[in-house]
Amino acid sequence: MLRWALIFLVLALVAGALGAGGVAGLSMNIAYVLFVVFLILLVVSFVIGGLRRGPRV
């Protein structure tokens, strides 16, 4: 998931440098959405992993 976000970010930067504003904006939006989804899944994974182990004594 993070790999796709980085790919779309690079695509947006290249498209922006070449003057393709529409493609750059769309790619930035996709990269942002994928990055937010990645962060949410990361937090959920940490919480579930912590609950499975139980409290440390």
Side-chain angles (χ1 to χ4, degrees):
M1 182 84 54
L2 184 59
R3 184 188 320 171
W4 282 106
L6 292 175
I7 288 171
F8 277 106
L9 176 64
V10 170
L11 178 66
L13 292 174
V14 170
L18 296 177
V23 175
L26 180 65
S27 297
M28 282 299 285
N29 287 339
I30 293 172
Y32 177 75
V33 169
L34 288 176
F35 186 72
V36 169
V37 169
F38 168 78
L39 287 180
I40 291 170
L41 291 176
L42 180 70
V43 169
V44 169
S45 175
F46 281 150
V47 169
I48 290 175
L51 292 176
R52 281 191 183 164
R53 288 190 195 141
R56 293 185 181 182
V57 178

